[in-house]
Amino acid sequence: MSEDGEGELPAFVALHGAALRASRVPERYWESLCRKLRGEVFDAGDYFGIMQVEEVEEEADEEMEEQLKKKPNPGNETCFKVIVTSENGLQASNPNSIFLIDHAWTYRAGHARQQLLHVPGLLHRMANLMGIDFHGEIPDEGSIEQVLQEMWKYNQTYQLSQGTAEEKVPVWYIMDEFGSRIQHSDQPSFATAPLFYMPQQIAYTLLWPLRDLETGDEVTRDYAYGETDRLIRKCVLLPWVPTEALDINCFTPEPSDEHYQAILTENKEKLPIAIKPSVYAEDKVFKVFTDVRQVLNNLAHPRFVFTDNEGEADILYNFSHFKDYRKLSEERPQVMLNQFPCENLLTVKDCLASVSRRAGGPDGPRWLPRTFNLQTELPQFISYFQQRERRGEDNHWICKPWNLARSLDTHVTNSLNNIIRHRESSPKVVCKYIENPVLFHREDVGMVKFDIRYVVLLRSVKPLKLYVYDVFWLRFSNRAFSLDDLHDYEKHFTVMNYAPGVILKQVHCEEFIPLFEKQYPEYPWTTVQADIFKAFAELFQVASAKPAPLGICDYPSSRAIYAIDLMLKWDTSRDGKRIMQPQILEVNFNPDCDRACTYFFPLTEMDWREEKKMSCEDSVTA
């Protein structure tokens, strides 16, 4: 390090050392990397070159032609390789043998189409990079679709660890022409890793050798880096090494007991000791400690007062997850709180699917879309997808993060490559997309998707007491439903109350029911709602059927409110009748009740008390 750069390396390591260690970048390269990043030194061209390889055309019989069609890029006879061109080769021990690769395109998945449409030159560059014919000046839909399909063979990803929920949504990028030409090998000669360089707020890809190379040796990397299981590697490499079918059973049993214990350990949750239910005087005034703004603004009953002292509170109503139930149960067992130990078995999507299988076997219950955990059930999902494809069945799926709300980083697709690659960005489940939803007619739009949110109160686990508030909330898509334009958020999603400038359609449940029954006179809402409540009861029964951490923990001082989001789909009953089948989409911890407080409770104190009395009396107990 030169004198004018003295002190740069310690500061660089303080900012980036953890990321470099996680990516296993050898420390001998760090000083050179610091210098190259600071000076934006792209010297890979001094050591490497891109070689174009033409495939030799031979007379091919029908069988060979069919095999060619199954190649990752049918019809593209040109391929490229990166080779070492330095006369002295390249030594892995040389501290300067680390290189920066620039990124040609950086984006979030939901913005890809719009960027291809509107960023000048982007579509043309991506088409050239991917070997797609595009010679026009104006982006056309066909070329955009081809790029959106092919990009999953070129995409890499990283995720920011700080910022808002929106800012933490995974970022996808495509390396420049040099980086994108580096081919796969199971015995790679180089390693790569993304690095977000904080001073410039720019991400680069780092390239360094794993062994010494001579002039003419090929530069390769492992596209399934870090995967050691042979079957998983085969699955991860499918976008580049297609195989017609995975000869495996798509059966997905419930995970082992150890799986749930590992979740408990990872969450750092300490289970409570057994306590007896507390008995409170009928005139007791409860002190409430809370950081939830909606509770502070709307809890006005005279038997509750707020306190800023958590130690003197009778009720803890926390926005964040409570962890140390053991200490609370030992020292203050009479203190009530708004959470249950192990409730993540409901509120985290992969756990929701796992515990729900107790009600319906490996395929899951009829009230939950078929769901696979992409981290642990990728081979089973691919097998299931391919089986459906061969049978000509609908294969639209929705990828969801395990633990994000508001449809963030959620994508609808019928591309297997897309789904496989999304596994790399963040832990996700993939659920069968409801291709035949029950629709609602909006006079201003037409037949649209809608979902329903019910707020439920879990009063106790043993015995199971579950109450459903009979005021439900509705969310509507803003465009008529059809099984196309999968990128169109306002056609395929219903969460409109967080997107700026997007219309939020408001319909009170009391207005909705007669409109719904007018559209579907053979399906009275009382019958539909009874099926919905039956699904809720079954869900909570199986979620609490086993002792913690395999089920929701029985803790007498816990009470919890959840929001259950669901849709209705057309299905056929066992006796052949067409039915509306509830489909539970997710269960939300500490749900946003702003609409409840804003639209349904702007009442006087007397009216408020009457409303509360009605809601309790009309609740449904499971």
Side-chain angles (χ1 to χ4, degrees):
M1 185 74 70
S2 61
E3 289 186 8
D4 62 345
E6 188 176 353
E8 290 281 355
L9 183 59
F12 173 76
V13 172
L15 280 175
H16 304 97
L20 294 172
R21 292 185 188 96
S23 298
R24 302 178 188 174
V25 180
E27 287 192 33
R28 63 177 175 270
Y29 299 133
W30 290 10
E31 183 173 339
S32 176
L33 176 61
C34 174
R35 174 178 50 80
K36 290 184 178 184
L37 284 166
R38 192 177 71 251
E40 298 183 55
V41 177
F42 294 90
D43 58 346
D46 297 336
Y47 297 87
F48 310 106
I50 299 174
M51 176 186 293
Q52 181 173 314
V53 181
E54 295 285 348
E55 293 189 0
V56 179
E57 291 188 8
E58 298 179 357
E59 292 186 8
D61 55 22
E62 291 184 4
E63 183 177 349
M64 186 176 293
E65 288 180 358
E66 285 300 312
Q67 291 300 317
L68 288 172
K69 291 177 182 177
K70 295 173 185 174
K71 289 176 57 181
N73 296 293
N76 184 1
E77 297 179 356
T78 303
C79 65
F80 297 89
K81 292 182 179 180
V82 176
I83 61 171
V84 176
T85 57
S86 172
E87 292 183 0
N88 299 320
L90 200 69
Q91 287 71 49
S93 59
N94 187 330
N96 293 317
S97 294
I98 188 165
F99 306 93
L100 303 182
I101 300 176
D102 205 357
H103 296 168
W105 184 21
T106 302
Y107 63 95
R108 287 187 166 88
H111 304 155
R113 177 182 294 271
Q114 288 302 310
Q115 291 187 14
L116 288 170
L117 271 171
H118 300 299
V119 176
L122 178 61
L123 177 60
H124 195 274
R125 184 178 184 183
M126 289 299 106
N128 285 340
L129 187 150
M130 299 175 191
I132 296 169
D133 289 332
F134 173 65
H135 305 290
E137 295 296 327
I138 301 175
D140 66 274
E141 191 62 31
S143 298
I144 289 174
E145 279 301 321
Q146 280 187 280
V147 169
L148 291 173
Q149 288 291 324
E150 288 296 308
M151 71 185 188
W152 295 105
K153 297 174 186 175
Y154 297 87
N155 274 340
Q156 313 298 319
T157 187
Y158 64 87
Q159 191 171 7
L160 299 179
S161 59
Q162 297 178 339
T164 65
E166 288 81 2
E167 290 169 337
K168 291 179 182 178
V169 169
V171 175
W172 292 90
Y173 65 93
I174 292 178
M175 290 184 284
D176 64 14
E177 285 73 6
F178 165 71
S180 294
R181 303 303 190 203
I182 299 174
Q183 300 298 311
H184 165 74
S185 173
D186 290 330
Q187 290 83 40
S189 56
F190 281 76
T192 61
L195 178 70
F196 190 79
Y197 186 48
M198 296 184 188
Q200 295 178 356
Q201 294 290 291
I202 296 176
Y204 299 98
T205 293
L206 311 182
L207 174 74
W208 69 95
L210 298 174
R211 58 177 182 269
D212 293 345
L213 291 100
E214 297 180 356
T215 305
D217 285 351
E218 184 178 1
V219 176
T220 58
R221 64 182 182 88
D222 184 359
Y223 288 6
Y225 179 75
E227 294 289 355
T228 57
D229 183 275
R230 291 182 63 185
L231 178 57
I232 299 298
R233 283 186 64 84
K234 184 177 182 180
C235 293
V236 170
L237 290 171
L238 270 178
W240 306 278
V241 188
T243 182
E244 185 170 338
L246 285 181
D247 187 20
I248 62 171
N249 193 329
C250 54
F251 174 83
T252 50
E254 185 182 352
S256 65
D257 294 358
E258 290 75 17
H259 175 81
Y260 294 109
Q261 183 61 52
I263 292 174
L264 181 73
T265 302
E266 183 178 350
N267 288 341
K268 298 181 173 60
E269 197 170 294
K270 296 180 181 179
L271 296 179
I273 62 172
I275 64 171
K276 293 182 179 180
S278 298
V279 178
Y280 306 96
E282 291 187 3
D283 59 349
K284 178 177 174 59
V285 175
F286 293 88
K287 295 180 180 179
V288 180
F289 178 86
T290 183
D291 58 356
V292 179
R293 180 56 52 186
Q294 289 162 355
V295 176
L296 289 168
N297 291 343
N298 294 282
L299 180 58
H301 195 284
R303 287 192 62 189
F304 300 97
V305 295
F306 294 113
T307 177
D308 293 329
N309 185 350
E310 184 175 355
E312 69 175 17
D314 302 303
I315 296 173
L316 302 178
Y317 204 112
N318 295 324
F319 180 77
S320 57
H321 292 280
F322 191 83
K323 300 292 185 182
D324 198 350
Y325 293 92
R326 183 173 185 85
K327 181 179 180 181
L328 189 69
S329 65
E330 289 174 338
E331 299 179 359
R332 304 167 66 199
Q334 78 285 356
V335 172
M336 291 185 284
L337 71 163
N338 66 322
Q339 300 171 37
F340 275 84
C342 301
E343 66 186 7
N344 59 286
L345 297 179
L346 285 174
T347 60
V348 180
K349 296 178 183 68
D350 66 310
C351 296
L352 172 65
S354 297
V355 299
S356 294
R357 289 173 191 161
R358 299 170 186 170
D363 288 341
R366 291 171 68 95
W367 40 260
L368 191 81
R370 183 68 191 267
T371 301
F372 294 86
N373 182 334
L374 287 180
Q375 305 306 120
T376 60
E377 297 166 348
L378 179 64
Q380 292 88 341
F381 164 69
I382 292 173
S383 178
Y384 188 72
F385 185 100
Q386 292 176 335
Q387 288 177 33
R388 293 183 66 90
E389 192 172 56
R390 288 196 295 272
R391 293 193 297 263
E393 297 174 351
D394 180 81
N395 239 345
H396 288 84
W397 294 80
I398 183 165
C399 271
K400 305 177 181 180
W402 283 359
N403 206 18
L404 282 179
R406 296 158 39 192
S407 301
L408 291 173
D409 196 26
T410 300
H411 311 280
V412 180
T413 182
N414 57 1
S415 165
L416 182 58
N417 288 350
N418 181 326
I419 297 169
I420 292 172
R421 297 303 309 283
H422 265 297
R423 179 179 184 267
E424 300 172 28
S425 62
S426 64
K428 284 186 171 65
V429 297
V430 59
C431 309
K432 183 65 189 69
Y433 185 61
I434 301 172
E435 77 274 12
N436 54 351
V438 174
L439 303 175
F440 181 80
H441 183 262
R442 282 179 54 174
E443 292 185 359
D444 55 336
V445 177
M447 301 297 285
V448 300
K449 284 178 59 173
F450 69 97
D451 69 12
I452 310 166
R453 166 167 288 195
Y454 279 91
V455 174
V456 303
L457 168 68
L458 182 59
R459 171 60 177 79
S460 70
V461 169
K462 291 183 187 269
L464 178 60
K465 292 183 179 180
L466 178 70
Y467 297 87
V468 183
Y469 183 35
D470 58 4
V471 171
F472 55 88
W473 287 269
L474 298 142
R475 298 184 297 196
F476 301 89
S477 297
N478 286 338
R479 298 195 178 106
F481 176 77
S482 58
L483 209 57
D484 55 13
D485 299 329
L486 302 181
H487 63 280
D488 190 337
Y489 183 90
E490 294 189 63
K491 174 184 286 191
H492 293 280
F493 291 85
T494 58
V495 183
M496 304 297 166
N497 45 318
Y498 296 99
V502 175
I503 297 172
L504 171 63
K505 175 71 172 177
Q506 294 277 3
V507 178
H508 192 284
C509 61
E510 292 181 356
E511 303 169 34
F512 169 81
I513 293 173
L515 292 171
F516 179 88
E517 292 182 332
K518 184 178 179 181
Q519 293 176 32
Y520 301 106
E522 297 180 10
Y523 300 89
W525 185 253
T526 53
T527 302
V528 174
Q529 186 165 257
D531 290 336
I532 292 171
F533 290 171
K534 182 180 178 183
F536 292 173
E538 288 184 8
L539 171 60
F540 278 83
Q541 285 164 0
V542 296
S544 59
K546 295 184 179 183
L550 282 63
I552 300 175
C553 183
D554 173 31
Y555 187 56
S557 290
S558 284
R559 317 282 189 270
I561 289 176
Y562 308 102
I564 303 181
D565 294 336
L566 67 106
M567 289 177 58
L568 301 170
K569 79 167 186 178
W570 292 110
D571 205 347
T572 304
S573 66
R574 292 180 175 83
D575 57 2
K577 294 182 179 179
R578 195 176 189 228
I579 60 171
M580 292 181 179
Q581 175 63 54
Q583 296 286 280
I584 293 177
L585 305 179
E586 59 185 41
V587 179
N588 295 276
F589 163 80
N590 252 344
D592 179 1
C593 291
D594 182 64
R595 284 208 287 171
C597 297
T598 303
Y599 297 110
F600 301 109
F601 298 133
L603 309 172
T604 64
E605 184 174 352
M606 181 61 71
D607 290 336
W608 184 89
R609 291 175 179 173
E610 289 302 315
E611 177 79 7
K612 284 295 181 185
K613 179 180 177 183
M614 178 200 70
S615 69
C616 294
E617 291 174 349
D618 291 352
S619 295
V620 176
T621 306

